[in-house]
């Protein structure tokens, strides 16, 4: 019962930190201006709005509102499908304007605190060190970087949930039915939040199964295949949820271009990229390596030194002796960390602005690998493994030396303060940014847009030009949403082939469509608007075409 109180306290601490950083007005479901003109964040929000407006389908995650007349999945707008489906069910009783992204944020901070303390207490870390250590997890720079930039990827509590299942392995692995249920739920959550968590959490699942097989063989002298069931349950949960949300029903391309451009640079744990008062940004090999942002923070660096001292003492003075099970978990722990780093840093392994080596090219391997094109993200669990390791070492120092125990707890507390100080400029800027209430003003100010809407016949926006800027597409989508129109294309996480639909729309012009073209860089477009027999109007950098005179 006492531990449950600490879990609750850690969750409350996460909520308090969130409120201090982002304020509380973004929790207002009717306040959506902060979600507009924000790139990826706008993509997530408008994706939910269009999904909410569409009719129910089966699979339930599909909508014809964003790739009309084809279907797209809410998975590919990164709109946190779990929340999107839940709130669409409640849509009849919700206000016309409704956003859940603020609540997703505070829930994620709460679960970040909750699972961090569960992990530390499972590892027999003292209550004070567990609560103090949870602040490192709640203020994780990788969470803050992603929370309202690529919002679903701010839910790092999924990673912590996988780590928690792994660290309690010794007590739970023989209860195959229960552990399979937990891993199955985690698989379904990954599919219904963001699929990039698959390799991160999957690494801990692999470690869990490996430990089960080894320990089972050591006791029974045979491989017990029942221990594979958590993996089966995980796969069933993952694929069932992906199918139910329409992830296999849209023809979206699984992979992305540019594998290696968004990898983890081996300087990533030290590259503050504007998050530190002390450390300057370091060079990177590729511009996209911001996806491998994994800065640990000055407080953690100090704790790493303390931990190395502790390990040195244990090895040289106390003649470190490891129980077989402890050795097993330690080796698997290390293998998982190295595997995650290798995955994240590949296929081009770099340090600063230098290429160290590249894996030999294989079209098949690269095609599969490119499903997780932004490989740099896969390093995030290693940050938490480091957090856990240094906090455990500091706690062991405090427990093994009763006289100096208070000093080591004080060291941990001071390191928390050092961590907050190191991040304080970034955190302060975040506070200022979200303290100001935003007002959205569309850049589409030409009277042409209003005349199109007032015509009363237009139901579909057809973007004809081949290329578009993701940010400008969001303004078009907001216009379409406000005037109850569909889109024929959108900013999707994975591209959909809409060329055939566009061709049909252009070759069969209709009064219920408005046709959009870019006024610049049209040399490679398949269609010249002047050749289509449309009424053409220039408006805010676009050419707007209709079949009738406005």
């Amino acid at each position: 019962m006492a531990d449950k109180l600490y879990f609750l306290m850690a969750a409350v601490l996460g909520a308090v930190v969130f409120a201090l950083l982002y304020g509380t007005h973004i929790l207002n479901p009717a306040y959506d201006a902060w979600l507009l003109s924000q790139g990826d964040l706008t993509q997530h929000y408008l994706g939910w709005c269009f999904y909410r407006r569409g009719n129910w389908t089966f699979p339930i995650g599909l909508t014809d509102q964003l790739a009309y007349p084809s279907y797209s999945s809410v998975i590919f707008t990164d709109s946190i499908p779990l929340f999107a489906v839940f709130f669409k069910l409640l849509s009849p009783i919700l206000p016309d304007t409704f956003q859940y992204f603020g609540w997703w944020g505070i829930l994620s901070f709460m679960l970040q605190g909750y699972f961090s303390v569960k992990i530390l207490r499972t590892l027999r870390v003292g209550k004070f060190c567990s609560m103090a250590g949870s602040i490192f997890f709640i203020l994780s720079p990788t969470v803050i970087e992603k929370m309202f930039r690529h919002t679903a990827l701010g839910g790092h509590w999924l990673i912590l949930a996988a780590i928690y299942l792994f660290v309690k392995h010794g007590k739970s692995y023989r209860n195959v039915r229960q552990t399979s249920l937990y891993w199955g739920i985690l698989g379904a959550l990954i599919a219904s939040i963001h699929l990039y968590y698959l390799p991160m959490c999957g690494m801990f699942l692999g470690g869990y199964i490996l430990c089960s097989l080894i320990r089972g063989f050591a006791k029974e002298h045979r491989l017990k295949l029942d221990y594979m069931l958590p993996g089966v349950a995980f796969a069933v949960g993952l694929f069932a949820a992906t199918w139910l949300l329409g992830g296999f029903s849209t023809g979206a391309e699984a992979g992305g271009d540019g594998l290696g451009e968004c990898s983890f640079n081996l300087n990533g744990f030290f590259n503050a990229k504007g998050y530190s008062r002390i450390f300057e940004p370091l060079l990177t090999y590729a511009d996209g390596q911001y996806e491998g942002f994994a800065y640990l923070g000055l407080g953690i660096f100090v704790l790493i030194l303390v931990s190395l001292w502790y390990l040195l003492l244990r090895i040289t003075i106390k003649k470190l002796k490891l129980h077989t099970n402890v050795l097993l978990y330690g080796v698997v722990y290390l293998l998982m960390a190295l595997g995650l780093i290798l995955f994240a840093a590949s296929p081009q392994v770099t340090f600063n602005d230098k290429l160290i080596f590249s894996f030999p090219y294989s079209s098949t391997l690269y095609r599969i690998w490119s499903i997780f094109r932004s490989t740099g993200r896969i390093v995030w669990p290693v940050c938490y493994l480091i957090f856990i390791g240094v906090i455990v070492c500091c706690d062991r120092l405090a427990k093994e030396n009763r006289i100096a125990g208070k000093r080591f707890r004080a060291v941990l507390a001071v390191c928390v303060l050092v961590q907050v100080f190191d991040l304080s400029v970034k955190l302060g800027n975040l506070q200022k940014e979200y303290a100001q209430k935003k007002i959205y003003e569309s850049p589409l100010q030409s009277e042409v847009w209003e005349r199109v809407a007032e015509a009363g016949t237009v139901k579909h926006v057809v973007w004809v030009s081949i290329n578009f800027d993701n940010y400008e597409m969001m303004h078009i989508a907001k216009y379409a949403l406000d005037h109850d129109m569909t889109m024929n294309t959108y900013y999707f996480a994975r591209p959909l082939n809409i060329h055939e639909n566009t061709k049909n729309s252009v070759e069969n012009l209709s009064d219920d469509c408005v046709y959009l073209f870019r006024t610049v860089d049209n040399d490679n477009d398949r269609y010249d608007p002047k050749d289509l027999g449309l009424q053409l109007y220039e408006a805010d950098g676009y050419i707007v075409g209709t079949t009738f005179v406005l």
Side-chain angles (χ1 to χ4, degrees):
M1 183 61 71
D3 273 355
K4 289 182 180 179
L5 177 60
Y6 280 89
F7 302 155
L8 177 61
M9 289 170 59
V12 171
L13 179 60
V16 170
V17 171
F18 178 88
L20 290 174
L21 287 179
Y22 300 101
T24 56
H25 48 275
I26 65 171
L27 300 177
N28 178 0
Y31 171 49
D32 68 349
W34 68 283
L35 295 163
L36 301 169
S37 299
Q38 295 290 322
D40 287 342
L41 190 56
T42 307
Q43 174 209 21
H44 313 332
Y45 173 58
L46 293 182
W48 143 248
C49 292
F50 279 100
Y51 172 68
R52 175 191 180 183
R53 191 178 71 181
N55 296 324
W56 282 104
T57 63
F58 192 85
I60 62 173
L62 295 177
T63 180
D64 65 350
Q65 298 290 297
L66 288 172
Y68 186 86
S70 297
Y71 285 87
S72 61
S73 171
V74 70
I75 287 177
F76 299 119
T77 56
D78 293 334
S79 302
I80 315 172
L82 178 67
F83 277 43
V85 171
F86 176 76
F87 286 111
K88 182 169 180 172
L89 286 168
L90 300 180
S91 190
I93 63 173
L94 297 178
D96 291 340
T97 298
F98 183 86
Q99 63 86 13
Y100 49 72
F101 294 90
W103 285 99
W104 161 257
I106 195 170
L107 178 64
S108 292
F109 267 63
M110 293 173 71
L111 290 173
Q112 193 82 352
Y114 173 82
F115 277 112
S116 65
V117 172
K118 290 206 74 157
I119 291 167
L120 295 173
R121 291 297 290 154
T122 301
L123 294 171
R124 293 180 288 114
V125 174
K127 293 173 182 176
F128 174 82
C129 290
S130 293
M131 287 301 300
S134 70
I135 298 174
F136 290 111
F137 294 85
I138 293 168
L139 283 176
S140 168
T142 55
V143 169
I144 294 169
E145 171 65 18
K146 285 297 182 184
M147 178 49 68
F148 292 127
R149 185 184 302 273
H150 202 150
T151 309
L153 289 175
H156 285 202
W157 55 270
L158 284 169
I159 301 171
L160 297 185
I163 295 175
Y164 171 66
L165 290 176
F166 176 77
V167 298
K168 65 178 293 195
H169 173 272
K171 296 180 179 179
S172 65
Y173 79 98
R174 280 177 287 188
N175 190 344
V176 175
R177 181 178 296 181
Q178 185 181 70
T179 56
S180 296
L181 174 63
Y182 291 154
W183 282 107
I185 291 172
L186 183 60
L189 284 173
I190 288 169
S192 57
I193 292 174
H194 203 290
L195 286 167
Y196 257 92
Y197 291 115
L198 169 57
M200 303 182 213
C201 298
M203 184 67 73
F204 293 98
L205 171 63
Y208 187 96
I209 293 173
L210 178 61
C211 288
S212 296
L213 292 173
I214 292 174
R215 291 194 65 176
F217 185 80
K219 289 188 176 184
E220 302 177 30
H221 303 291
R222 66 186 181 89
L223 287 177
K224 193 174 180 181
L225 295 182
D226 286 359
Y227 291 138
M228 301 289 290
L229 288 177
V232 174
F234 181 86
V236 169
L238 178 79
F239 283 97
T242 303
W243 170 75
L244 189 61
L245 291 167
F248 303 123
S249 303
T250 65
E253 296 179 17
D257 296 329
L259 180 65
E261 294 176 4
C262 301
S263 62
F264 172 68
N265 193 296
L266 293 181
N267 69 18
F269 295 126
F270 310 97
N271 193 350
K273 293 187 178 179
Y275 271 74
S276 174
R277 276 181 174 269
I278 309 300
F279 301 105
E280 295 294 325
L282 301 176
L283 295 173
T284 57
Y285 180 77
D287 292 339
Q289 289 186 323
Y290 65 84
E291 289 288 2
F293 175 72
Y295 179 61
L296 298 174
L298 182 58
I300 292 294
F301 294 152
V302 175
L303 283 178
I304 289 174
L305 296 177
V306 172
S307 300
L308 291 174
W309 178 51
Y310 165 73
L311 293 174
L312 185 62
L313 285 176
R314 291 295 304 267
I315 293 170
T316 59
I317 297 176
K318 298 189 177 183
K319 304 301 181 183
L320 181 64
K321 294 181 180 180
L322 295 177
H323 188 276
T324 302
N325 288 337
V326 174
L327 182 62
L328 169 64
Y329 292 127
V331 170
V332 174
Y333 185 105
L334 183 61
L335 289 175
M336 290 189 301
L338 292 175
L340 288 163
I341 292 173
L342 184 62
F343 191 123
S346 302
Q348 296 178 320
V349 180
T350 61
F351 182 75
N352 288 341
D353 58 344
K354 301 293 190 298
L355 175 65
I356 299 176
F357 69 88
S358 296
F359 283 91
Y361 179 78
S362 163
S363 59
T364 302
L365 177 62
Y366 271 53
R367 186 170 62 254
I368 297 171
W369 208 335
S370 65
I371 294 173
F372 303 101
R373 183 183 72 91
S374 296
T375 56
R377 299 169 179 172
I378 312 304
V379 81
W380 295 336
V382 182
C383 298
Y384 298 121
L385 294 179
I386 293 171
F387 288 5
I388 293 165
V390 298
I391 294 167
V392 168
C393 285
C394 191
D395 178 74
R396 297 295 187 267
L397 273 169
K399 287 179 176 177
E400 291 179 10
N401 191 328
R402 294 183 179 179
I403 297 175
K406 291 183 179 179
R407 296 177 187 173
F408 289 116
R409 292 187 184 95
V411 167
L412 179 60
V414 169
C415 285
V416 170
L417 296 176
V418 169
Q419 185 85 346
V420 174
F421 172 77
D422 186 36
L423 302 175
S424 59
V425 172
K426 182 67 177 182
L427 300 181
N429 291 338
L430 205 62
Q431 285 179 313
K432 292 176 184 177
E433 178 184 353
Y434 284 89
Q436 300 175 357
K437 278 208 167 186
K438 296 179 173 63
I439 299 174
Y440 174 70
E441 184 175 349
S442 173
L444 306 181
Q445 295 295 312
S446 170
E447 65 175 11
V448 170
W449 304 106
E450 200 58 40
R451 284 156 57 191
V452 169
E454 289 174 351
T457 61
V458 178
K459 299 298 180 184
H460 313 292
V461 173
V462 179
W463 183 271
V464 182
S465 294
I466 293 175
N467 296 315
F468 62 83
D469 178 88
N470 289 334
Y471 293 159
E472 72 180 13
M473 179 57 70
M474 293 301 96
H475 297 300
I476 299 295
K478 181 65 168 67
Y479 168 80
L481 180 72
D482 289 343
H483 295 93
D484 200 24
M485 301 175 188
T486 68
M487 301 280 290
N488 76 317
T489 189
Y490 189 68
Y491 171 21
F492 294 110
R494 288 292 182 267
L496 275 67
N497 188 349
I498 54 95
H499 297 308
E500 191 63 30
N501 289 340
T502 304
K503 178 182 177 182
N504 289 336
S505 295
V506 171
E507 293 179 354
N508 300 279
L509 300 177
S510 173
D511 290 350
D512 66 359
C513 294
V514 58
Y515 302 86
L516 300 187
F517 307 81
R518 301 188 70 155
T519 59
V520 294
D521 301 327
N522 281 324
D523 292 342
N524 295 322
D525 277 355
R526 291 187 175 92
Y527 304 100
D528 187 329
K530 297 177 182 177
D531 297 336
L532 298 179
L534 292 166
Q535 302 294 324
L536 301 177
Y537 308 86
E538 289 196 22
D540 301 311
Y542 304 93
I543 294 177
V544 178
T546 60
T547 58
F548 51 87
V549 177
L550 294 177

